[in-house]
Amino acid sequence: MITETETFHSGFVALVGRPNVGKSTLLNRLVGQKISIVTHKPQTTRQRINGIVTTDNAQVVFIDTPGIHVAGGKLLNQSMNRAAQEALDDADVIVQMVIAGQWRPLDEQVQQQIQASGRPALLVVNKIDQVKQRQELLPWLEEHVDAGLWRKVLLVSARNGSGVDDLMVSLGELLPAGPPLYPEEQVSDRNLRFMAAELIREQLLRYLHKELPYGVHVQIERFDEQTKPLEIDAVIWVERASHKGMVIGKQGAMLKQIGKASRLQLNRLIGRPVHLSLWVSVRPGWQSNPQTLRDSGFID
Ligand SMILES: Nc1nc2c(ncn2[C@@H]2O[C@H](COP(=O)(O)OP(=O)(O)OP(=O)(O)O)[C@@H](O)[C@H]2O)c(=O)[nH]1
Ligand SMILES: [Mg+2]
Protein backbone atom coordinates (compact mmCIF):
# COMPACT_ATOMS: atom_id res chain seq x y z
CA MET A 1 0.00 0.00 0.00
CA ILE A 2 1.33 3.40 -0.96
CA THR A 3 0.37 5.94 1.70
CA GLU A 4 2.45 9.11 2.16
CA THR A 5 3.81 10.46 -1.09
CA GLU A 6 5.88 13.13 0.74
CA THR A 7 8.30 10.61 2.21
CA PHE A 8 8.12 8.19 -0.68
CA HIS A 9 11.39 7.32 -2.42
CA SER A 10 11.77 5.92 -5.92
CA GLY A 11 14.35 5.36 -8.59
CA PHE A 12 16.50 3.03 -10.63
CA VAL A 13 19.12 0.66 -9.24
CA ALA A 14 21.43 -1.01 -11.77
CA LEU A 15 22.72 -4.51 -10.95
CA VAL A 16 26.04 -4.84 -12.72
CA GLY A 17 29.02 -7.17 -12.69
CA ARG A 18 30.86 -9.68 -14.79
CA PRO A 19 28.90 -12.71 -16.07
CA ASN A 20 27.73 -15.36 -13.58
CA VAL A 21 28.13 -13.38 -10.36
CA GLY A 22 24.41 -13.82 -9.59
CA LYS A 23 22.73 -10.60 -10.78
CA SER A 24 19.58 -12.28 -12.11
CA THR A 25 19.34 -14.58 -9.09
CA LEU A 26 19.43 -11.50 -6.85
CA LEU A 27 16.82 -9.72 -9.00
CA ASN A 28 14.45 -12.69 -8.70
CA ARG A 29 15.08 -12.86 -4.96
CA LEU A 30 14.38 -9.13 -4.51
CA VAL A 31 11.20 -9.21 -6.60
CA GLY A 32 10.08 -12.52 -5.08
CA GLN A 33 9.33 -14.01 -8.49
CA LYS A 34 11.30 -15.45 -11.36
CA ILE A 35 11.39 -12.66 -13.91
CA SER A 36 14.94 -13.14 -15.22
CA ILE A 37 16.44 -16.43 -16.32
CA VAL A 38 19.34 -18.00 -14.43
CA THR A 39 21.79 -20.68 -15.52
CA HIS A 40 25.25 -21.79 -14.48
CA LYS A 41 26.57 -20.60 -17.86
CA PRO A 42 28.04 -17.09 -18.21
CA GLN A 43 26.28 -14.56 -20.48
CA THR A 44 22.80 -15.82 -19.70
CA THR A 45 21.17 -12.38 -19.60
CA ARG A 46 21.32 -10.61 -22.97
CA GLN A 47 19.06 -7.58 -22.51
CA ARG A 48 18.19 -5.33 -19.61
CA ILE A 49 15.18 -6.36 -17.59
CA ASN A 50 13.54 -4.13 -15.01
CA GLY A 51 12.27 -5.76 -11.83
CA ILE A 52 10.07 -3.57 -9.64
CA VAL A 53 9.79 -3.78 -5.85
CA THR A 54 7.23 -1.56 -4.14
CA THR A 55 7.12 -1.23 -0.35
CA ASP A 56 5.22 1.19 1.92
CA ASN A 57 7.81 3.90 1.50
CA ALA A 58 9.81 3.18 -1.63
CA GLN A 59 9.66 1.83 -5.14
CA VAL A 60 12.93 0.40 -6.37
CA VAL A 61 13.25 -0.37 -10.06
CA PHE A 62 16.10 -2.84 -10.37
CA ILE A 63 17.78 -3.09 -13.75
CA ASP A 64 19.19 -6.56 -14.39
CA THR A 65 21.96 -6.24 -16.95
CA PRO A 66 24.02 -8.59 -19.11
CA GLY A 67 27.35 -9.50 -17.53
CA ILE A 68 30.10 -7.13 -18.69
CA HIS A 69 32.59 -9.18 -20.71
CA VAL A 70 35.25 -8.97 -23.42
CA ALA A 71 32.89 -8.53 -26.35
CA GLY A 72 35.03 -9.53 -29.35
CA GLY A 73 33.63 -8.87 -32.81
CA LYS A 74 30.01 -9.91 -32.49
CA LEU A 75 27.42 -7.15 -32.51
CA LEU A 76 25.23 -9.10 -30.08
CA ASN A 77 28.00 -9.11 -27.46
CA GLN A 78 28.69 -5.44 -28.03
CA SER A 79 24.98 -4.71 -27.55
CA MET A 80 25.06 -6.67 -24.27
CA ASN A 81 27.91 -4.58 -22.90
CA ARG A 82 26.18 -1.44 -24.13
CA ALA A 83 23.00 -2.43 -22.27
CA ALA A 84 25.03 -2.67 -19.07
CA GLN A 85 26.71 0.69 -19.70
CA GLU A 86 23.35 2.35 -20.40
CA ALA A 87 22.00 0.99 -17.13
CA LEU A 88 25.00 2.55 -15.36
CA ASP A 89 24.21 5.86 -17.04
CA ASP A 90 20.47 5.71 -16.20
CA ALA A 91 20.63 4.52 -12.61
CA ASP A 92 20.26 6.59 -9.44
CA VAL A 93 22.27 4.00 -7.54
CA ILE A 94 24.57 1.23 -8.77
CA VAL A 95 25.09 -2.17 -7.21
CA GLN A 96 28.22 -4.00 -8.30
CA MET A 97 28.12 -7.71 -7.59
CA VAL A 98 31.19 -9.88 -7.13
CA ILE A 99 31.62 -13.46 -5.97
CA ALA A 100 32.97 -13.81 -2.41
CA GLY A 101 36.68 -14.64 -2.59
CA GLN A 102 37.05 -13.82 -6.30
CA TRP A 103 38.36 -10.56 -7.72
CA ARG A 104 39.06 -10.85 -11.45
CA PRO A 105 40.30 -8.24 -13.96
CA LEU A 106 36.70 -7.89 -15.20
CA ASP A 107 35.54 -7.05 -11.66
CA GLU A 108 38.19 -4.35 -11.59
CA GLN A 109 37.02 -3.08 -14.99
CA VAL A 110 33.39 -2.88 -13.84
CA GLN A 111 34.49 -1.01 -10.73
CA GLN A 112 36.30 1.53 -12.91
CA GLN A 113 33.19 1.99 -15.08
CA ILE A 114 31.18 2.69 -11.93
CA GLN A 115 33.76 5.19 -10.70
CA ALA A 116 33.64 6.94 -14.06
CA SER A 117 29.84 7.19 -13.81
CA GLY A 118 30.17 9.13 -10.55
CA ARG A 119 26.96 7.57 -9.17
CA PRO A 120 26.48 6.37 -5.60
CA ALA A 121 27.37 2.70 -5.50
CA LEU A 122 27.15 -0.32 -3.23
CA LEU A 123 29.24 -3.46 -3.39
CA VAL A 124 27.41 -6.76 -2.98
CA VAL A 125 29.68 -9.67 -2.20
CA ASN A 126 27.51 -12.58 -3.32
CA LYS A 127 27.50 -16.36 -2.82
CA ILE A 128 28.57 -16.12 0.82
CA ASP A 129 26.73 -19.41 1.37
CA GLN A 130 29.83 -20.95 -0.22
CA VAL A 131 32.10 -19.45 2.44
CA LYS A 132 32.36 -21.65 5.53
CA GLN A 133 33.61 -18.99 7.96
CA ARG A 134 33.00 -15.31 7.28
CA GLN A 135 36.34 -14.52 8.93
CA GLU A 136 38.02 -16.32 6.05
CA LEU A 137 36.89 -13.43 3.85
CA LEU A 138 38.59 -10.69 5.86
CA PRO A 139 42.01 -10.77 4.15
CA TRP A 140 40.30 -10.85 0.74
CA LEU A 141 38.05 -7.92 1.65
CA GLU A 142 41.06 -5.96 2.92
CA GLU A 143 43.02 -6.61 -0.25
CA HIS A 144 40.32 -5.83 -2.82
CA VAL A 145 37.60 -3.71 -1.30
CA ASP A 146 38.30 0.00 -1.13
CA ALA A 147 35.77 1.05 1.51
CA GLY A 148 36.06 4.68 0.41
CA LEU A 149 34.52 3.88 -2.96
CA TRP A 150 31.34 2.26 -1.70
CA ARG A 151 28.40 3.67 0.23
CA LYS A 152 28.09 0.22 1.74
CA VAL A 153 29.59 -3.24 1.36
CA LEU A 154 27.13 -6.08 1.96
CA LEU A 155 27.70 -9.81 2.25
CA VAL A 156 24.82 -11.55 0.54
CA SER A 157 23.56 -14.88 -0.66
CA ALA A 158 21.14 -14.32 -3.52
CA ARG A 159 20.50 -18.05 -3.41
CA ASN A 160 19.30 -18.29 0.21
CA GLY A 161 18.34 -14.65 0.77
CA SER A 162 20.85 -13.85 3.50
CA GLY A 163 21.70 -10.12 3.60
CA VAL A 164 19.03 -9.20 1.04
CA ASP A 165 16.76 -7.33 3.51
CA ASP A 166 19.71 -5.15 4.58
CA LEU A 167 20.37 -4.38 0.94
CA MET A 168 16.77 -3.22 0.42
CA VAL A 169 16.96 -0.92 3.46
CA SER A 170 20.24 0.62 2.27
CA LEU A 171 18.86 1.21 -1.22
CA GLY A 172 15.61 2.77 0.02
CA GLU A 173 17.70 5.33 1.94
CA LEU A 174 19.84 6.21 -1.09
CA LEU A 175 17.05 6.78 -3.61
CA PRO A 176 15.70 10.29 -4.13
CA ALA A 177 12.26 11.32 -2.87
CA GLY A 178 9.65 10.89 -5.58
CA PRO A 179 6.44 9.16 -6.57
CA PRO A 180 6.28 5.57 -7.84
CA LEU A 181 7.35 5.14 -11.46
CA TYR A 182 5.25 2.03 -12.12
CA PRO A 183 1.85 0.84 -10.82
CA GLU A 184 2.50 -0.79 -7.43
CA GLU A 185 1.34 -4.25 -8.55
CA GLN A 186 3.71 -4.35 -11.55
CA VAL A 187 6.83 -6.50 -11.09
CA SER A 188 8.53 -6.30 -14.50
CA ASP A 189 8.67 -4.06 -17.55
CA ARG A 190 8.78 -7.10 -19.84
CA ASN A 191 5.67 -8.78 -21.22
CA LEU A 192 4.75 -12.47 -21.11
CA ARG A 193 5.85 -12.96 -24.71
CA PHE A 194 9.40 -11.83 -23.89
CA MET A 195 9.48 -13.93 -20.73
CA ALA A 196 8.23 -16.98 -22.65
CA ALA A 197 11.09 -16.65 -25.15
CA GLU A 198 13.54 -16.28 -22.27
CA LEU A 199 12.28 -19.39 -20.47
CA ILE A 200 12.73 -21.43 -23.65
CA ARG A 201 16.25 -20.01 -24.08
CA GLU A 202 16.98 -20.94 -20.46
CA GLN A 203 16.24 -24.58 -21.28
CA LEU A 204 18.43 -24.37 -24.39
CA LEU A 205 21.27 -23.08 -22.22
CA ARG A 206 20.68 -25.91 -19.75
CA TYR A 207 20.53 -28.78 -22.22
CA LEU A 208 22.91 -27.77 -25.01
CA HIS A 209 26.63 -28.13 -24.55
CA LYS A 210 29.71 -26.00 -25.08
CA GLU A 211 29.39 -22.98 -27.35
CA LEU A 212 26.16 -24.03 -29.05
CA PRO A 213 23.71 -22.26 -26.70
CA TYR A 214 25.44 -18.91 -27.29
CA GLY A 215 24.41 -19.05 -30.93
CA VAL A 216 20.69 -19.53 -30.29
CA HIS A 217 17.88 -17.04 -30.18
CA VAL A 218 14.19 -17.71 -29.54
CA GLN A 219 11.58 -15.91 -31.58
CA ILE A 220 7.93 -16.21 -30.50
CA GLU A 221 5.82 -16.47 -33.65
CA ARG A 222 2.43 -16.93 -32.01
CA PHE A 223 1.19 -16.31 -28.48
CA ASP A 224 -2.54 -16.96 -28.49
CA GLU A 225 -4.16 -16.31 -25.12
CA GLN A 226 -7.67 -16.98 -26.48
CA THR A 227 -7.09 -20.70 -26.99
CA LYS A 228 -7.28 -23.42 -24.32
CA PRO A 229 -4.60 -24.52 -23.72
CA LEU A 230 -2.76 -21.32 -24.57
CA GLU A 231 -0.88 -21.81 -27.86
CA ILE A 232 2.72 -20.74 -28.23
CA ASP A 233 4.72 -21.26 -31.42
CA ALA A 234 8.42 -20.48 -31.20
CA VAL A 235 11.33 -20.66 -33.61
CA ILE A 236 14.83 -21.42 -32.34
CA TRP A 237 17.47 -19.73 -34.46
CA VAL A 238 20.85 -21.39 -34.82
CA GLU A 239 23.93 -20.14 -36.64
CA ARG A 240 24.78 -23.25 -38.67
CA ALA A 241 23.05 -26.20 -40.33
CA SER A 242 25.13 -28.61 -38.20
CA HIS A 243 23.74 -26.94 -35.07
CA LYS A 244 20.19 -27.59 -36.19
CA GLY A 245 20.76 -31.33 -35.96
CA MET A 246 22.27 -30.96 -32.49
CA VAL A 247 19.28 -28.98 -31.21
CA ILE A 248 16.85 -31.51 -32.67
CA GLY A 249 18.88 -34.54 -31.49
CA LYS A 250 18.56 -38.19 -32.40
CA GLN A 251 15.00 -38.81 -33.60
CA GLY A 252 14.05 -35.45 -32.17
CA ALA A 253 14.94 -36.47 -28.60
CA MET A 254 16.77 -33.27 -27.63
CA LEU A 255 14.09 -30.92 -28.94
CA LYS A 256 11.45 -33.02 -27.21
CA GLN A 257 13.29 -32.75 -23.89
CA ILE A 258 13.79 -28.98 -24.29
CA GLY A 259 10.12 -28.61 -25.29
CA LYS A 260 8.91 -30.53 -22.25
CA ALA A 261 11.09 -28.60 -19.80
CA SER A 262 10.06 -25.29 -21.42
CA ARG A 263 6.38 -26.18 -21.25
CA LEU A 264 6.62 -26.85 -17.52
CA GLN A 265 8.27 -23.46 -16.98
CA LEU A 266 5.67 -21.73 -19.17
CA ASN A 267 2.76 -23.38 -17.33
CA ARG A 268 4.19 -22.00 -14.09
CA LEU A 269 4.77 -18.52 -15.54
CA ILE A 270 1.35 -18.18 -17.11
CA GLY A 271 -0.59 -20.13 -14.50
CA ARG A 272 -2.44 -22.31 -16.96
CA PRO A 273 -1.73 -25.12 -19.43
CA VAL A 274 0.33 -24.22 -22.48
CA HIS A 275 0.69 -26.01 -25.79
CA LEU A 276 4.16 -25.30 -27.16
CA SER A 277 5.37 -25.94 -30.71
CA LEU A 278 9.07 -25.50 -31.45
CA TRP A 279 10.88 -25.21 -34.78
CA VAL A 280 14.56 -24.81 -35.53
CA SER A 281 15.72 -22.40 -38.24
CA VAL A 282 19.26 -21.75 -39.54
CA ARG A 283 20.11 -18.02 -39.57
CA PRO A 284 23.81 -17.69 -40.41
CA GLY A 285 25.47 -14.69 -38.77
CA TRP A 286 22.32 -13.44 -36.98
CA GLN A 287 24.48 -12.34 -34.03
CA SER A 288 26.21 -9.76 -36.22
CA ASN A 289 23.30 -8.70 -38.40
CA PRO A 290 22.15 -5.18 -37.41
CA GLN A 291 18.70 -5.56 -38.99
CA THR A 292 18.03 -8.84 -37.20
CA LEU A 293 19.29 -7.47 -33.90
CA ARG A 294 17.10 -4.39 -34.32
CA ASP A 295 14.01 -6.50 -35.12
CA SER A 296 14.69 -8.61 -32.03
CA GLY A 297 15.10 -5.61 -29.73
CA PHE A 298 18.81 -6.01 -29.00
CA ILE A 299 19.71 -2.64 -30.53
CA ASP A 300 17.69 0.52 -31.25
N1 LIG B 1 25.98 -20.78 -4.24
C1 LIG B 1 25.41 -19.71 -4.80
N2 LIG B 1 25.17 -19.72 -6.13
C2 LIG B 1 24.57 -18.62 -6.65
C3 LIG B 1 24.19 -17.51 -5.87
N3 LIG B 1 23.65 -16.58 -6.69
C4 LIG B 1 23.69 -17.11 -7.93
N4 LIG B 1 24.23 -18.34 -7.92
C5 LIG B 1 24.45 -19.24 -9.07
O1 LIG B 1 25.36 -18.61 -9.97
C6 LIG B 1 25.03 -18.92 -11.33
C7 LIG B 1 24.86 -17.66 -12.13
O2 LIG B 1 23.72 -16.97 -11.65
P1 LIG B 1 23.00 -15.84 -12.52
O3 LIG B 1 21.99 -15.19 -11.63
O4 LIG B 1 22.54 -16.37 -13.82
O5 LIG B 1 24.23 -14.86 -12.76
P2 LIG B 1 24.26 -13.51 -13.63
O6 LIG B 1 25.20 -12.59 -12.95
O7 LIG B 1 22.88 -13.01 -13.86
O8 LIG B 1 24.92 -14.04 -14.98
P3 LIG B 1 24.83 -13.41 -16.49
O9 LIG B 1 23.40 -13.18 -16.81
O10 LIG B 1 25.44 -14.47 -17.31
O11 LIG B 1 25.64 -12.16 -16.46
C8 LIG B 1 23.77 -19.80 -11.26
O12 LIG B 1 24.16 -21.15 -11.32
C9 LIG B 1 23.18 -19.44 -9.90
O13 LIG B 1 22.39 -20.48 -9.34
C10 LIG B 1 24.44 -17.55 -4.46
O14 LIG B 1 24.14 -16.66 -3.67
N5 LIG B 1 25.05 -18.69 -3.99
MG1 LIG C 1 21.83 -12.71 -15.62
PDB file of all heavy atoms in Angstrom, residues 6 13 36 71 73 115 124 137 150 162 167-168 188 205-206 215 272 289 293:
ATOM      1  N   GLU A   6       4.813  12.191   0.357  1.00  0.00           N
ATOM      2  CA  GLU A   6       5.882  13.125   0.738  1.00  0.00           C
ATOM      3  C   GLU A   6       7.192  12.403   1.068  1.00  0.00           C
ATOM      4  O   GLU A   6       8.258  12.866   0.719  1.00  0.00           O
ATOM      5  CB  GLU A   6       5.472  13.945   1.959  1.00  0.00           C
ATOM      6  CG  GLU A   6       4.683  15.177   1.575  1.00  0.00           C
ATOM      7  CD  GLU A   6       3.497  15.345   2.494  1.00  0.00           C
ATOM      8  OE1 GLU A   6       3.688  15.316   3.723  1.00  0.00           O
ATOM      9  OE2 GLU A   6       2.386  15.453   1.957  1.00  0.00           O
ATOM     10  N   VAL A  13      17.908   1.273  -9.788  1.00  0.00           N
ATOM     11  CA  VAL A  13      19.122   0.664  -9.236  1.00  0.00           C
ATOM     12  C   VAL A  13      19.662  -0.340 -10.254  1.00  0.00           C
ATOM     13  O   VAL A  13      18.978  -1.322 -10.582  1.00  0.00           O
ATOM     14  CB  VAL A  13      18.837  -0.061  -7.900  1.00  0.00           C
ATOM     15  CG1 VAL A  13      20.072  -0.817  -7.423  1.00  0.00           C
ATOM     16  CG2 VAL A  13      18.372   0.929  -6.840  1.00  0.00           C
ATOM     17  N   SER A  36      13.736 -13.138 -14.377  1.00  0.00           N
ATOM     18  CA  SER A  36      14.935 -13.137 -15.219  1.00  0.00           C
ATOM     19  C   SER A  36      15.548 -14.535 -15.165  1.00  0.00           C
ATOM     20  O   SER A  36      15.603 -15.144 -14.094  1.00  0.00           O
ATOM     21  CB  SER A  36      15.922 -12.101 -14.665  1.00  0.00           C
ATOM     22  OG  SER A  36      16.996 -11.910 -15.549  1.00  0.00           O
ATOM     23  N   ALA A  71      33.955  -8.299 -25.366  1.00  0.00           N
ATOM     24  CA  ALA A  71      32.890  -8.533 -26.345  1.00  0.00           C
ATOM     25  C   ALA A  71      33.346  -9.164 -27.655  1.00  0.00           C
ATOM     26  O   ALA A  71      32.558  -9.805 -28.325  1.00  0.00           O
ATOM     27  CB  ALA A  71      32.155  -7.231 -26.629  1.00  0.00           C
ATOM     28  N   GLY A  73      34.149  -9.530 -31.614  1.00  0.00           N
ATOM     29  CA  GLY A  73      33.631  -8.866 -32.809  1.00  0.00           C
ATOM     30  C   GLY A  73      32.125  -8.909 -32.986  1.00  0.00           C
ATOM     31  O   GLY A  73      31.583  -8.210 -33.835  1.00  0.00           O
ATOM     32  N   GLN A 115      33.081   3.968 -11.162  1.00  0.00           N
ATOM     33  CA  GLN A 115      33.756   5.189 -10.696  1.00  0.00           C
ATOM     34  C   GLN A 115      33.591   6.309 -11.709  1.00  0.00           C
ATOM     35  O   GLN A 115      33.314   7.440 -11.350  1.00  0.00           O
ATOM     36  CB  GLN A 115      35.240   4.911 -10.502  1.00  0.00           C
ATOM     37  CG  GLN A 115      35.597   4.566  -9.076  1.00  0.00           C
ATOM     38  CD  GLN A 115      37.085   4.293  -8.971  1.00  0.00           C
ATOM     39  OE1 GLN A 115      37.557   3.267  -9.453  1.00  0.00           O
ATOM     40  NE2 GLN A 115      37.800   5.215  -8.356  1.00  0.00           N
ATOM     41  N   VAL A 124      28.027  -5.547  -3.530  1.00  0.00           N
ATOM     42  CA  VAL A 124      27.410  -6.755  -2.982  1.00  0.00           C
ATOM     43  C   VAL A 124      28.357  -7.926  -3.220  1.00  0.00           C
ATOM     44  O   VAL A 124      28.690  -8.253  -4.361  1.00  0.00           O
ATOM     45  CB  VAL A 124      26.033  -7.020  -3.634  1.00  0.00           C
ATOM     46  CG1 VAL A 124      25.594  -8.454  -3.428  1.00  0.00           C
ATOM     47  CG2 VAL A 124      24.984  -6.081  -3.048  1.00  0.00           C
ATOM     48  N   LEU A 137      36.985 -14.452   4.905  1.00  0.00           N
ATOM     49  CA  LEU A 137      36.894 -13.434   3.848  1.00  0.00           C
ATOM     50  C   LEU A 137      37.662 -12.158   4.178  1.00  0.00           C
ATOM     51  O   LEU A 137      37.931 -11.359   3.294  1.00  0.00           O
ATOM     52  CB  LEU A 137      35.435 -13.044   3.633  1.00  0.00           C
ATOM     53  CG  LEU A 137      34.613 -13.840   2.623  1.00  0.00           C
ATOM     54  CD1 LEU A 137      33.232 -13.211   2.502  1.00  0.00           C
ATOM     55  CD2 LEU A 137      35.264 -13.863   1.240  1.00  0.00           C
ATOM     56  N   TRP A 150      32.700   2.811  -1.782  1.00  0.00           N
ATOM     57  CA  TRP A 150      31.343   2.264  -1.704  1.00  0.00           C
ATOM     58  C   TRP A 150      30.558   2.898  -0.571  1.00  0.00           C
ATOM     59  O   TRP A 150      31.102   3.105   0.509  1.00  0.00           O
ATOM     60  CB  TRP A 150      31.409   0.733  -1.480  1.00  0.00           C
ATOM     61  CG  TRP A 150      32.275   0.041  -2.484  1.00  0.00           C
ATOM     62  CD1 TRP A 150      33.541  -0.422  -2.278  1.00  0.00           C
ATOM     63  CD2 TRP A 150      31.952  -0.238  -3.847  1.00  0.00           C
ATOM     64  NE1 TRP A 150      34.031  -0.978  -3.434  1.00  0.00           N
ATOM     65  CE2 TRP A 150      33.072  -0.880  -4.416  1.00  0.00           C
ATOM     66  CE3 TRP A 150      30.830  -0.012  -4.638  1.00  0.00           C
ATOM     67  CZ2 TRP A 150      33.102  -1.307  -5.751  1.00  0.00           C
ATOM     68  CZ3 TRP A 150      30.854  -0.425  -5.961  1.00  0.00           C
ATOM     69  CH2 TRP A 150      31.980  -1.051  -6.507  1.00  0.00           C
ATOM     70  N   SER A 162      20.149 -14.495   2.386  1.00  0.00           N
ATOM     71  CA  SER A 162      20.846 -13.854   3.499  1.00  0.00           C
ATOM     72  C   SER A 162      21.419 -12.493   3.065  1.00  0.00           C
ATOM     73  O   SER A 162      22.026 -12.375   1.995  1.00  0.00           O
ATOM     74  CB  SER A 162      21.923 -14.838   3.982  1.00  0.00           C
ATOM     75  OG  SER A 162      23.040 -14.186   4.425  1.00  0.00           O
ATOM     76  N   LEU A 167      20.122  -5.049   2.213  1.00  0.00           N
ATOM     77  CA  LEU A 167      20.374  -4.376   0.935  1.00  0.00           C
ATOM     78  C   LEU A 167      19.189  -3.488   0.582  1.00  0.00           C
ATOM     79  O   LEU A 167      19.362  -2.327   0.185  1.00  0.00           O
ATOM     80  CB  LEU A 167      20.617  -5.433  -0.163  1.00  0.00           C
ATOM     81  CG  LEU A 167      20.743  -4.912  -1.588  1.00  0.00           C
ATOM     82  CD1 LEU A 167      21.957  -4.003  -1.735  1.00  0.00           C
ATOM     83  CD2 LEU A 167      20.848  -6.072  -2.593  1.00  0.00           C
ATOM     84  N   MET A 168      17.969  -4.002   0.737  1.00  0.00           N
ATOM     85  CA  MET A 168      16.769  -3.220   0.418  1.00  0.00           C
ATOM     86  C   MET A 168      16.701  -1.957   1.271  1.00  0.00           C
ATOM     87  O   MET A 168      16.391  -0.876   0.760  1.00  0.00           O
ATOM     88  CB  MET A 168      15.506  -4.061   0.669  1.00  0.00           C
ATOM     89  CG  MET A 168      15.003  -4.828  -0.521  1.00  0.00           C
ATOM     90  SD  MET A 168      14.748  -3.861  -2.017  1.00  0.00           S
ATOM     91  CE  MET A 168      13.305  -2.912  -1.611  1.00  0.00           C
ATOM     92  N   SER A 188       7.517  -6.308 -13.436  1.00  0.00           N
ATOM     93  CA  SER A 188       8.531  -6.296 -14.498  1.00  0.00           C
ATOM     94  C   SER A 188       8.077  -5.385 -15.628  1.00  0.00           C
ATOM     95  O   SER A 188       6.876  -5.147 -15.796  1.00  0.00           O
ATOM     96  CB  SER A 188       8.735  -7.714 -15.031  1.00  0.00           C
ATOM     97  OG  SER A 188       9.584  -7.686 -16.155  1.00  0.00           O
ATOM     98  N   LEU A 205      19.979 -23.252 -22.905  1.00  0.00           N
ATOM     99  CA  LEU A 205      21.273 -23.082 -22.223  1.00  0.00           C
ATOM    100  C   LEU A 205      21.563 -24.267 -21.307  1.00  0.00           C
ATOM    101  O   LEU A 205      22.698 -24.693 -21.157  1.00  0.00           O
ATOM    102  CB  LEU A 205      21.270 -21.787 -21.394  1.00  0.00           C
ATOM    103  CG  LEU A 205      21.538 -20.490 -22.164  1.00  0.00           C
ATOM    104  CD1 LEU A 205      21.008 -19.281 -21.420  1.00  0.00           C
ATOM    105  CD2 LEU A 205      23.031 -20.298 -22.412  1.00  0.00           C
ATOM    106  N   ARG A 206      20.499 -24.777 -20.673  1.00  0.00           N
ATOM    107  CA  ARG A 206      20.678 -25.912 -19.749  1.00  0.00           C
ATOM    108  C   ARG A 206      21.064 -27.179 -20.478  1.00  0.00           C
ATOM    109  O   ARG A 206      21.948 -27.911 -20.054  1.00  0.00           O
ATOM    110  CB  ARG A 206      19.357 -26.196 -19.029  1.00  0.00           C
ATOM    111  CG  ARG A 206      18.987 -25.159 -18.028  1.00  0.00           C
ATOM    112  CD  ARG A 206      18.691 -25.779 -16.668  1.00  0.00           C
ATOM    113  NE  ARG A 206      18.826 -24.754 -15.625  1.00  0.00           N
ATOM    114  CZ  ARG A 206      17.797 -24.085 -15.105  1.00  0.00           C
ATOM    115  NH1 ARG A 206      16.574 -24.346 -15.481  1.00  0.00           N
ATOM    116  NH2 ARG A 206      18.013 -23.168 -14.189  1.00  0.00           N
ATOM    117  N   GLY A 215      24.833 -19.405 -29.567  1.00  0.00           N
ATOM    118  CA  GLY A 215      24.408 -19.055 -30.931  1.00  0.00           C
ATOM    119  C   GLY A 215      22.907 -19.145 -31.137  1.00  0.00           C
ATOM    120  O   GLY A 215      22.444 -18.988 -32.251  1.00  0.00           O
ATOM    121  N   ARG A 272      -1.494 -21.374 -16.359  1.00  0.00           N
ATOM    122  CA  ARG A 272      -2.443 -22.309 -16.964  1.00  0.00           C
ATOM    123  C   ARG A 272      -1.754 -23.136 -18.055  1.00  0.00           C
ATOM    124  O   ARG A 272      -0.655 -22.780 -18.492  1.00  0.00           O
ATOM    125  CB  ARG A 272      -3.694 -21.608 -17.479  1.00  0.00           C
ATOM    126  CG  ARG A 272      -3.487 -20.549 -18.518  1.00  0.00           C
ATOM    127  CD  ARG A 272      -4.823 -19.816 -18.690  1.00  0.00           C
ATOM    128  NE  ARG A 272      -4.766 -18.737 -19.632  1.00  0.00           N
ATOM    129  CZ  ARG A 272      -5.107 -18.842 -20.908  1.00  0.00           C
ATOM    130  NH1 ARG A 272      -5.500 -20.002 -21.409  1.00  0.00           N
ATOM    131  NH2 ARG A 272      -5.049 -17.793 -21.701  1.00  0.00           N
ATOM    132  N   ASN A 289      24.130  -9.353 -37.390  1.00  0.00           N
ATOM    133  CA  ASN A 289      23.300  -8.696 -38.404  1.00  0.00           C
ATOM    134  C   ASN A 289      22.481  -7.564 -37.766  1.00  0.00           C
ATOM    135  O   ASN A 289      21.556  -7.820 -36.983  1.00  0.00           O
ATOM    136  CB  ASN A 289      22.364  -9.746 -39.018  1.00  0.00           C
ATOM    137  CG  ASN A 289      21.520  -9.172 -40.135  1.00  0.00           C
ATOM    138  OD1 ASN A 289      21.114  -8.020 -40.094  1.00  0.00           O
ATOM    139  ND2 ASN A 289      21.267  -9.994 -41.135  1.00  0.00           N
ATOM    140  N   LEU A 293      19.170  -7.855 -35.311  1.00  0.00           N
ATOM    141  CA  LEU A 293      19.289  -7.469 -33.902  1.00  0.00           C
ATOM    142  C   LEU A 293      18.314  -6.344 -33.558  1.00  0.00           C
ATOM    143  O   LEU A 293      17.762  -6.303 -32.460  1.00  0.00           O
ATOM    144  CB  LEU A 293      20.729  -7.064 -33.569  1.00  0.00           C
ATOM    145  CG  LEU A 293      21.759  -8.200 -33.620  1.00  0.00           C
ATOM    146  CD1 LEU A 293      23.151  -7.675 -33.314  1.00  0.00           C
ATOM    147  CD2 LEU A 293      21.415  -9.312 -32.630  1.00  0.00           C
TER     148      LEU A 293
END
